[in-house]
Structure formats: C-alpha cells, structure tokens
Amino acid sequence: MRIPLDHQAEAPLYRQIESYLRKAILAGSLAPDTRLPASRKLAEDLGVNRITVETAYECLEADGLLSSRVGSGTYVLAPETLPVTAPDGGNVAWPLWQQSLPKPVADDKRGAARHPDPISFAGGVSDARLYPADEFRRVLQSVMRRDGITALDYGERNGYAPLRATIAHVLASQGLQARPESVLVTAGSQQAISLVAQLLLGAGDTILVESPTYSGALDLFRALGFTVVGVPVDEQGMQVDLLERLLQQHHPRLVYTIPNFHNPTGTCLAGARRRQLITLADRYNVPILEYDFVGDLRYDGRTQPALKALDPGGRVIYVSTFSKMLMPGLRVGFLLADGPVYDSLVRFKRVNDLATSTLVQRALESYVTVGRYQAHLHRSCQVFRKRRDAMVSAIEAHLPADVHCSPPQGGLFAWLQLPDGLSSDDLAAYAAEEGVEFVPGSAFYVEGREGTDKLRLNFVVQPPDRIDEGIRRLARALERMRGRK
Amino acid sequence: MRIPLDHQAEAPLYRQIESYLRKAILAGSLAPDTRLPASRKLAEDLGVNRITVETAYECLEADGLLSSRVGSGTYVLAPETLPVTAPDGGNVAWPLWQQSLPKPVADDKRGAARHPDPISFAGGVSDARLYPADEFRRVLQSVMRRDGITALDYGERNGYAPLRATIAHVLASQGLQARPESVLVTAGSQQAISLVAQLLLGAGDTILVESPTYSGALDLFRALGFTVVGVPVDEQGMQVDLLERLLQQHHPRLVYTIPNFHNPTGTCLAGARRRQLITLADRYNVPILEYDFVGDLRYDGRTQPALKALDPGGRVIYVSTFSKMLMPGLRVGFLLADGPVYDSLVRFKRVNDLATSTLVQRALESYVTVGRYQAHLHRSCQVFRKRRDAMVSAIEAHLPADVHCSPPQGGLFAWLQLPDGLSSDDLAAYAAEEGVEFVPGSAFYVEGREGTDKLRLNFVVQPPDRIDEGIRRLARALERMRGRK
C-alpha cells in the first residue's frame, strides 16, 4: 500500500497515515471488510517504524473505522455515517489548462422516464432479443477450452487471421471481393471510422459528409477539429451532381458516405450516382470512406454494389461491422483497404489500442461461418420486413396525411417529415409524456438548425404490436402539440 | 449478393456476372462449398432476367468452378489451380493521395527463428502461464448465464459501473484514493494514453517524456505528429532538476511519465522528485500523464506514492491496466481523472470506439475482487522476485564485469549497459543465432541514435533455469561479437 508521506511535513507520520486511511474509508474507496496490510508489512513498505503504523491503526479503531480480529488481521468497518459530498468536494481549484478545455456537447436528454411503459424507437441497433446469446456463450466456452491462455494474450496486430479470412468470405458471399490481407479488425466500426479520419485529416482539414448523416460520425469529426461540409441528400441518396462544386470549393481530404440504407434517412444511393461518385473522387484525388453498416439488410427492391466493389484500386476504404446484426457489446468491426494506406491504418490501430480483444475475435470467428451468417441474415430480414411493414401501416393509419415518410427498402430507420415547420424537438417532449421516444432530426445535421422538422424512428427494435401502439402515442403527442399552438 | 453491374457497358450482363464470380472463386474469396443464391433470387436482387443468371452459372459450371446439386443449390468448387498472385496483382496504380502517405516505421525484425529453442526476454508482458485462464473461463460462463443479452449490448459510456467501483477499491487498497466517478474504462492502457494525448495535443504540439521511455508511447506520439522532447533519466528516475528549463524552453502541452519500475530502465522516481514534479507542472500549467503499468509489482525496497496520490486536484491523469498482471488479450485498462477533463475524455472515448466490450468488463468485474487481486499480486511478486534474483545472479555469473546492470526493485525489466560503445543492435544478431532475444535500447529513445549500447531484458517471462540458460547464451553472443571486432 503506497500511502503518500511527507517526512518534511509538520504533521507526525502516524497522523498522515491515519488521515489518509480515514479519508479513504469515509469516502468509501476503502470498502467495508477490506483487509489492511499487517502493521509490520505496511511499516516496511513505507519505511517507517512499526509503532507508527500501529498508532495510526489504533486511532482509527478507537473511532470505529477499523477492527482488529485476533489472528486474522485488521479490517475496514462500515462507517456509521457517510459524508454527503465526496471528500474532495466541489471546491477544488482546477488548474488553468483544465478550465480552457472545450466543453463537451451535452448529451441529448431523451427519455420517457415518467411513462410507466415507454416504447423506444430511438436506438441505433437492432433488436437485442434476436442476439444469439446462448449459442455465443457455448462458442465462447469451447474457444477458451480449445485455446487456453493463447486466447488471453495479445494477438496479431491487424486481427486474428482466421477471423479476417471469415470476414473476406462473408463479404464475397455478399458480392464484395476481399482478401484477408486487406481486412483490419477494429473495436467496432466506430474505431474504424476514427482511424481513417485520424490518419487522413488533421485539425482544420475539411471532410465532406451527407447532410444529414450518422450523428456518431459528426461527433467524431467535430471532436477532432475538422471542418465538416454537408452534401444534400434526396430520395436517391447523396446529390452527387452537387459534389463537384463542393470538391472544387473546399478541397476536402475525405468523403464520408453511407450509401446503403443511410442513417438517418434510410435511402440508398442510386447506381449511376455510385459510379459518378467514384469518378469524381478519382478526378479530385479524394479518398472515399464507405460506411456500410447494414448494407445486407434489404427487404425488397434491387441491390446495388458496394462502392468498394466499383473501386478500380485503393480509392475506397470500406467499413462495416457485425454489431448491428449480431452483438454490439462485442465491439468488433472491420475495415477493408488496399494499397499503402492499409499499413498506415494498421499502425494507427496499434498505437491507438494495440489490438482488439483476442478472446472475442476468436469466439466470433468460431461462431460466424458464411452459412450461419446467411441464415441469420435471412431470419433477420424476415423479422425486420414485417416490422418495417408494421411501421409503414401504422404511420398511414394513425399519423395525419401531412406527415411525410418514404417507406425504406431495408436497414433500420424510417425518416419522418413533420408539416408546417413543426419542431421535432418540441414534439419529443410531448412524446415522452405519451410514452414514446425517437431521435429529433437536428442531431444528424452539419448545421444544427437544420432538420428540426424531421425525426428518425428505428423500426426493428419493437415487435409489430408495440410499433402500432408507439405510433398511436406519437399521433396523440402530435395532436396535443398542435392543439397547444 | 450485390454484384456490380454496368448496364451501359459493352459486355453483356451474364458475362459481367460470370466474370465477377470467376474472379472471386479463383481468388479464394468465394470459398469452396459456399452456396450461391438461387438464380431466381439473384436475378431479383440484381434486377436482371433469370436466364441471365442461369447462363452465367452454366458457364462457370462448364469450367468446373460451380456445381449444381439437384434440390440443394449451386455450390462453389475448389478451383484446380489457384493463381500465383492475387487477382488485383501488384500493378495497380494507387491514387495520388495514397502515394503521399507517411511511410509507417518498419517493425523491428527481431526473432531467433533459426534457433530450435529460442529464449525470449523481449516481451513487454508478464508470464502467460500465470494467467488464471481456467478460473476466468468459468467466470465468463457464469456472467453470460447471469446477464444474457445484456452482456452483449452497449454499456455505459465511461465503463461498467460495478467494474469502476472495483477499480476504485483496488486502487484504494494499494494506497491511491479514487472515486468510481473518476474512473474511465478503456481498451487497454494504450487507448487511455492515446485518448489523453489526442485530447490535450494537436499535431506540432510538444510533449515531454522520459528518454528512454515506453516505445509504444513514442510510436503513438510520433504517429499523432507531436514534437517529442526527452528528459534524461538516472538511477532515481526522471531528472526533475532539468525539467524547469525544458518547460520554459518548449512550452509542452503534456508531461508523460512512468514513475514506477520505469519501462525500459526499471527505475523508480525518488520521493522528493515526485513532489518537485507536481510543483513544477502546477507552476507551468502543464498536465501530467502518469502511466503506472506495474506500480504494485514491488519485490523489495520502500514504496512511493503514486503521483496521482500527491495531486492537489486535477493536475495528474493516472493510467493503469490489469493487462500486465492478468490477461493482456482482454484489452481492459483504465484512467483516473478529476475535473472538467474527465468529461472531455469520456467524450473522446465515445467518438473513438463507443465503448469497450461489455462482456469482458462484466467478466473482469466478476473475477476481480480486492482480496483476489491482492492474492494474485502476492503470488506474482513471489514468483517474479525469484526470477529477478535469478536474472541478477545469472548476469553476475555469466556476463563480463564491464556489462552494467542495476538490480531492479520491481516491475518486469532489467536494463543493461554494454561496455566500450558496443552496439546492442549488432549484439541482437549474434544473440538470435545463439537462441536468445531482447529489445535493443535504441527503440526507447526519442533520438534513435541514442541507447545503442543498452538493451532491455524482461525477467518475468521465463522460469529461473531458462533465465540462466538465456544469459549464458547472451554471454556467448557477446564473446563472439567481441572476437569478430
């Protein structure tokens, strides 16, 4: 135990030890029943006389904070009254450098906490009840039996090789050719986006994104100090015809795009626009970061190739994940990159966090096969298609006709437009009272004042009857808000 | 399956499908026995006539790349000869932006691969054979049974609350008071260092580090484009008396330090220097990042308080990990920070990778208790003390008297100085032939030309008899090198 002692201080050493321990016990950081080191041992560690430690212990025992049990040692007792505030209180003068830090953006305060049975359409993931938790537990168990301590050591820096091979096979089965040597395993797709952004841009550099786009990417780009420029989106995805002017005007270092079942709008980039995007990126020497978070979750309509599949070589960095379909808590995503940029990304991954949990990678490799992935995908599509239909029907049945929504062909999200400039932030408050949650549109826009008349609904997390009930509640909230206007 | 089709291209659609699949099969990305979609399904997905897909399949069947099994589907066959090079070969013209990327530093090519039974003192972790793999497997199993899908979902953004409480208790039991609200769980300590560095510095800013220091931190700071300035180290750790001049001269944004059992030198920062360091950092308004990777692994001598324990409030950010003592592959580390900087770090963690695997956090929380930690620490210290003694004895017995080494009081590393300006890089080659590995000193220096006469030995990874044999081999390597000079 390393207790800070000041031999030059006026306070005697036993008092310093006593006061340190008292503070720790009262703050709860030394929990009740913690065994303290024997006085001889602590005296040795601290280089003080044994009597000094014993005196400190005795003072604390007298105050009912410690108890000596003969032959067993000295234990912390539960203090009778805990202080109301933490011991270092709120009156510390933080150093200047702390006072000048940029204020983190406050989290959006959603939540229908007051309602006894809220229905949430706010999440960004799929239905946890569909995660194969039991199967995965068995796989994890057999991997640990099979690999023993190897599963608990550092692994290869670009990811567990058999998992990289599996990822390449799964991608190929979905129409995207990939070699295991081009795959880098990351801590979820968020880290993949973060690595690419950190490598290719510095503070002050410009990035082009769809506006609206995934709020987690916006947060990242803002935290890294980038200038974020939005490209408008219509029903066919990014308006690529506006791109060339923006490329000329802003000289971006990266184009970040979600071409399939876009977050939050649910749209897919049209085929011709995909080719045009690649051509423009090539002409203006700008890399493309393709975030394909649910590209395989299509419920109807024609598929489009991944941008990466159209890449003549090294133009597109493709990022995806198993999180949305399998288990987000595992935090395993991946990227696909060709050319010199791959080695640079591996290096960035290494300096960022050395490697992603080998145990989890091994378990995932053991669980995911092409056949199992396709079966899971098929099952998910069947379930989610019904929920999409339920959402579309409920919107038609319960919401007024002037609320606009294009039925999405896949993915997780429906994107609603409110009439008459009604504010989705205001609506969220009424909705919380009625017991339904969603994400207001402004969260997804480069300029926060945009999108205030829009909102995002996740339609895959609730079963059809809850979807219907949730949209009824939303309709009531809308009605109440209009009544108050 | 999303196959890229170009309806404007000259090649007919069935040829485009055929050639895409052929490429994927020959490259191995569509593995043998993969089942292809039914022709009806693929035709629907791609928006083409069913005959088009059937024709493509038939061509591939005729070439022995596919096989139709009646009533079962179409499967990929193993191609008879695989192409020697990957299909996109080495002759792709990478885009310009790829050609201008900074070259990643080549990994040091260590390795005694030619020797049948090499002994490695090169690693940075402790002995994998001491990891509690079986116990941990059982804990993981019971956590998954207990928590079900909750263990596979995203968790709290600053880390699983019970784990943060456990970390606070373990730290308090080691003499460092901490509140769970000041703990942020990270993907290993490397991520914690990376988050602090990213938050507090931008490219071009200056960071002060001990020279030598942990090579993984040097790699990180260089990758982020920082100016790295070294503070010399002697047998009592960082030479704090040289610090003030460097603070005035370079205006660093951060001081990164390893005060306990320093990597690579094994030294501990003297008590008076600790207080002086805090005072100076305060005077010059510079935050301190204290990396305490093995602070509890003390085999003899007097303990020193953590810098964080001397912190009057918000001056020191403390980073540590369970990796070195428990299981590195779990990738769970943590930092301790007070004041506004804590929220900023939580935000940076979130944009970097959303969260660290909840499953692993829950398992670790279930496994680690103060009692178990202390027992494990006690056992590790006993084992490692013997190995330290074995290393010191072997060095005295087998190496010439002009090789200098101060016996370390704890930690993982012994730091050797070679005589007469002999080069440890040269020695590494002889050592590899003799079957022993170490890390040459230059890896740890801000200026790569320094430290060429030094080398780092990890003394905890080998049992005493292997340590003795390894040092005998090192002695032979040294003798041979001197003979050739």
Side-chain angles (χ1 to χ4, degrees):
Chain A
M1 193 174 229
R2 301 181 281 162
I3 296 178
L5 293 183
D6 186 348
H7 291 263
Q8 269 75 57
E10 256 182 64
L13 293 173
Y14 85 89
R15 274 279 174 227
Q16 293 186 38
I17 297 172
E18 184 218 324
S19 116
Y20 182 88
L21 291 174
R22 180 187 303 273
K23 223 172 127 189
I25 295 168
L26 288 176
S29 54
L30 269 179
D33 295 324
T34 304
R35 184 182 170 170
L36 291 186
S39 53
R40 190 185 40 74
K41 176 74 172 60
L42 185 56
E44 242 178 64
D45 281 357
L46 300 173
V48 300
N49 195 298
R50 187 172 168 178
I51 305 286
T52 308
V53 175
E54 279 172 356
T55 311
Y57 280 10
E58 278 159 17
C59 293
L60 292 164
E61 230 182 303
D63 290 352
L65 295 173
L66 291 183
S67 145
S68 287
R69 305 181 200 156
V70 177
S72 157
T74 304
Y75 291 82
V76 173
L77 290 178
E80 287 193 10
T81 49
L82 278 170
V84 181
T85 54
D88 54 0
N91 49 3
V92 175
W94 304 122
L96 272 178
W97 63 264
Q98 283 234 25
Q99 295 169 31
S100 57
L101 288 170
K103 281 246 176 302
V105 185
D107 293 323
D108 47 350
K109 293 276 179 291
R110 289 194 303 269
R114 282 159 299 179
H115 196 278
D117 177 30
I119 296 174
S120 177
F121 299 128
V125 294
S126 74
D127 187 351
R129 285 159 288 196
L130 299 179
Y131 302 159
D134 280 341
E135 268 176 283
F136 192 74
R137 177 171 52 74
R138 282 190 290 273
V139 165
L140 202 53
Q141 188 70 351
S142 62
V143 163
M144 284 203 67
R145 278 189 205 279
R146 182 192 72 193
D147 298 345
I149 49 172
T150 325
L152 299 176
D153 217 328
Y154 294 121
E156 295 118 293
R157 58 181 63 179
N158 55 348
Y160 181 52
L163 178 62
R164 287 187 285 111
T166 297
I167 289 170
H169 288 146
V170 167
L171 289 175
S173 82
Q174 301 303 318
L176 176 55
Q177 267 215 63
R179 297 175 305 138
E181 306 83 63
S182 303
V183 175
L184 169 62
V185 178
T186 58
S189 51
Q190 184 77 18
Q191 189 188 41
I193 300 171
S194 159
L195 295 175
V196 174
Q198 281 184 57
L199 176 67
L200 297 178
L201 290 89
D205 285 341
T206 298
I207 187 165
L208 285 193
V209 305
E210 285 130 359
S211 190
T213 192
Y214 166 48
S215 54
L218 280 180
D219 289 346
L220 170 69
F221 302 149
R222 288 174 181 144
L224 294 173
F226 302 165
T227 302
V228 185
V229 173
V231 189
V233 168
D234 64 18
E235 307 241 313
Q236 295 186 50
M238 183 195 282
Q239 293 186 248
V240 177
D241 53 329
L242 303 178
L243 191 62
E244 185 152 20
R245 197 181 49 78
L246 293 171
L247 289 168
Q248 291 169 344
Q249 191 178 342
H250 296 284
H251 305 287
R253 304 294 295 264
L254 184 65
V255 176
Y256 167 82
T257 176
I258 309 171
N260 299 310
F261 312 122
H262 178 259
N263 181 1
T265 65
T267 55
C268 276
L269 188 62
R273 292 190 182 181
R274 289 177 190 241
R275 287 166 213 280
Q276 203 186 341
L277 174 55
I278 302 271
T279 306
L280 282 173
D282 212 30
R283 186 178 305 153
Y284 289 89
N285 187 36
V286 184
I288 295 173
L289 170 50
E290 173 178 29
Y291 180 37
D292 191 28
F293 74 122
V294 285
D296 301 337
L297 282 180
R298 172 176 287 281
Y299 315 132
D300 43 43
R302 186 192 293 185
T303 65
Q304 292 291 351
L307 293 172
K308 181 75 185 153
L310 302 172
D311 179 0
R315 272 69 169 172
V316 178
I317 299 168
Y318 176 91
V319 168
S320 191
T321 173
F322 294 114
S323 297
K324 294 294 182 295
M325 283 195 48
L326 296 169
M327 296 145 284
L330 295 182
R331 310 303 307 128
V332 175
F334 57 89
L335 62 80
L336 199 62
D338 300 294
V341 74
Y342 178 79
D343 287 338
S344 300
L345 287 167
V346 172
R347 179 197 181 204
F348 252 76
K349 163 71 179 167
R350 188 173 139 74
V351 299
N352 262 270
D353 69 356
L354 293 188
T356 290
S357 169
T358 39
L359 173 62
V360 174
Q361 287 191 65
R362 281 163 189 263
L364 202 55
E365 189 275 327
S366 189
Y367 176 75
V368 175
T369 60
V370 170
R372 220 181 231 168
Y373 183 81
Q374 288 181 332
H376 189 85
L377 183 63
H378 183 70
R379 209 166 46 237
S380 299
C381 281
Q382 282 186 317
V383 174
F384 295 165
R385 183 183 292 116
K386 287 198 187 115
R387 294 180 178 185
R388 191 265 323 255
D389 294 344
M391 176 69 83
V392 171
S393 306
I395 290 171
E396 278 174 14
H398 309 310
L399 291 182
D402 56 1
V403 173
H404 177 75
C405 170
S406 313
Q409 294 191 318
L412 312 178
F413 304 123
W415 184 238
L416 261 60
Q417 167 138 22
L418 299 176
D420 309 331
L422 291 180
S423 151
S424 55
D425 287 292
D426 293 346
L427 181 59
Y430 289 92
E433 286 173 16
E434 296 290 338
V436 62
E437 298 172 30
F438 57 81
V439 185
S442 56
F444 305 102
Y445 280 84
V446 175
E447 304 289 342
R449 60 179 186 278
E450 285 186 87
T452 50
D453 58 343
K454 301 191 174 66
L455 59 99
R456 191 190 77 179
L457 299 171
N458 180 326
F459 57 78
V460 306
V461 280
Q462 304 288 346
D465 58 323
R466 296 281 285 176
I467 291 177
D468 192 74
E469 171 60 21
I471 298 299
R472 279 175 196 271
R473 293 179 183 180
L474 188 61
R476 279 200 297 273
L478 190 59
E479 207 173 85
R480 278 183 47 217
M481 180 167 78
R482 279 181 152 170
R484 295 254 178 117
K485 275 195 81 151
Chain B
M1 192 174 231
R2 300 181 281 162
I3 297 179
L5 293 183
D6 185 350
H7 291 264
Q8 269 76 57
E10 256 183 63
L13 293 174
Y14 84 90
R15 273 280 175 230
Q16 294 186 36
I17 297 172
E18 184 218 325
S19 111
Y20 182 88
L21 291 174
R22 179 187 303 275
K23 224 172 123 188
I25 295 167
L26 289 176
S29 53
L30 269 179
D33 296 323
T34 304
R35 184 182 172 172
L36 291 186
S39 53
R40 190 184 40 76
K41 176 70 171 62
L42 184 56
E44 245 178 61
D45 280 357
L46 300 174
V48 300
N49 196 299
R50 184 172 169 178
I51 305 286
T52 307
V53 175
E54 280 172 356
T55 311
Y57 280 11
E58 278 159 17
C59 293
L60 293 165
E61 231 182 300
D63 290 352
L65 294 174
L66 290 182
S67 144
S68 286
R69 304 181 201 156
V70 177
S72 156
T74 304
Y75 291 82
V76 173
L77 290 177
E80 287 192 9
T81 50
L82 278 171
V84 182
T85 54
D88 55 1
N91 49 4
V92 175
W94 303 122
L96 272 178
W97 63 265
Q98 283 233 24
Q99 296 169 32
S100 58
L101 288 171
K103 284 243 178 301
V105 185
D107 293 321
D108 47 350
K109 293 275 179 291
R110 291 194 302 269
R114 282 159 301 177
H115 195 280
D117 179 28
I119 295 174
S120 178
F121 298 127
V125 294
S126 74
D127 188 352
R129 286 159 289 195
L130 299 180
Y131 301 159
D134 280 341
E135 266 176 285
F136 192 74
R137 177 171 50 74
R138 282 190 290 272
V139 165
L140 202 52
Q141 188 71 350
S142 63
V143 164
M144 284 201 67
R145 278 188 206 279
R146 183 192 70 192
D147 298 347
I149 49 172
T150 326
L152 299 175
D153 217 328
Y154 295 121
E156 295 117 295
R157 57 182 63 180
N158 56 347
Y160 181 52
L163 178 61
R164 288 187 284 112
T166 298
I167 289 170
H169 288 146
V170 167
L171 289 175
S173 81
Q174 301 303 318
L176 176 54
Q177 266 215 64
R179 297 176 305 138
E181 306 83 65
S182 303
V183 175
L184 170 62
V185 178
T186 59
S189 52
Q190 183 77 18
Q191 189 187 42
I193 300 172
S194 159
L195 294 175
V196 174
Q198 280 182 57
L199 176 67
L200 297 178
L201 290 89
D205 284 341
T206 298
I207 187 165
L208 287 193
V209 304
E210 285 129 1
S211 189
T213 192
Y214 165 48
S215 54
L218 280 180
D219 289 346
L220 169 69
F221 302 149
R222 286 173 182 146
L224 294 174
F226 301 166
T227 302
V228 185
V229 173
V231 189
V233 168
D234 64 18
E235 307 242 315
Q236 294 187 52
M238 183 194 281
Q239 294 187 246
V240 177
D241 53 328
L242 304 177
L243 192 62
E244 185 152 20
R245 198 181 48 78
L246 293 170
L247 289 168
Q248 291 169 342
Q249 191 178 342
H250 296 285
H251 305 287
R253 305 293 294 263
L254 184 65
V255 176
Y256 167 82
T257 177
I258 310 172
N260 299 310
F261 312 121
H262 178 257
N263 181 2
T265 65
T267 54
C268 274
L269 188 62
R273 291 190 182 180
R274 287 176 192 242
R275 287 167 211 280
Q276 203 186 340
L277 174 56
I278 302 269
T279 306
L280 282 172
D282 213 29
R283 185 177 308 152
Y284 288 90
N285 188 35
V286 184
I288 295 174
L289 171 49
E290 174 178 28
Y291 181 35
D292 191 29
F293 75 123
V294 285
D296 301 337
L297 282 180
R298 171 176 289 281
Y299 315 132
D300 43 43
R302 185 191 293 185
T303 65
Q304 291 291 352
L307 293 172
K308 182 73 186 156
L310 303 172
D311 179 0
R315 272 69 168 170
V316 178
I317 299 168
Y318 176 91
V319 168
S320 189
T321 172
F322 294 113
S323 296
K324 294 294 182 294
M325 283 196 46
L326 296 169
M327 296 147 282
L330 295 182
R331 310 302 307 124
V332 176
F334 56 90
L335 62 79
L336 199 61
D338 300 295
V341 74
Y342 179 80
D343 287 338
S344 300
L345 287 166
V346 172
R347 180 196 181 202
F348 252 76
K349 163 71 180 167
R350 187 174 140 74
V351 299
N352 261 270
D353 68 357
L354 295 189
T356 291
S357 169
T358 39
L359 173 62
V360 173
Q361 287 191 66
R362 282 163 189 263
L364 202 55
E365 189 275 327
S366 190
Y367 176 75
V368 176
T369 59
V370 171
R372 218 180 232 168
Y373 183 81
Q374 288 180 332
H376 189 85
L377 183 63
H378 184 70
R379 209 165 46 236
S380 299
C381 281
Q382 282 186 317
V383 173
F384 295 166
R385 183 184 291 115
K386 288 197 186 115
R387 294 180 179 186
R388 191 266 322 256
D389 293 345
M391 176 66 83
V392 171
S393 307
I395 289 172
E396 277 175 14
H398 310 309
L399 290 182
D402 55 1
V403 174
H404 177 76
C405 171
S406 313
Q409 293 191 318
L412 312 178
F413 303 123
W415 184 238
L416 261 60
Q417 168 139 20
L418 300 176
D420 310 333
L422 290 180
S423 152
S424 57
D425 287 292
D426 294 346
L427 181 60
Y430 289 93
E433 285 172 17
E434 295 290 338
V436 62
E437 297 172 32
F438 57 82
V439 185
S442 56
F444 304 102
Y445 279 84
V446 175
E447 304 289 340
R449 59 178 188 279
E450 285 186 87
T452 51
D453 58 344
K454 300 192 174 67
L455 58 100
R456 191 190 77 180
L457 299 170
N458 179 326
F459 58 78
V460 305
V461 280
Q462 305 287 348
D465 58 324
R466 296 281 285 175
I467 291 176
D468 192 73
E469 171 58 21
I471 297 300
R472 280 175 196 271
R473 292 179 184 180
L474 188 62
R476 280 200 296 274
L478 190 60
E479 206 173 86
R480 278 183 47 215
M481 180 167 78
R482 278 182 153 170
R484 294 256 178 114
K485 275 196 81 154

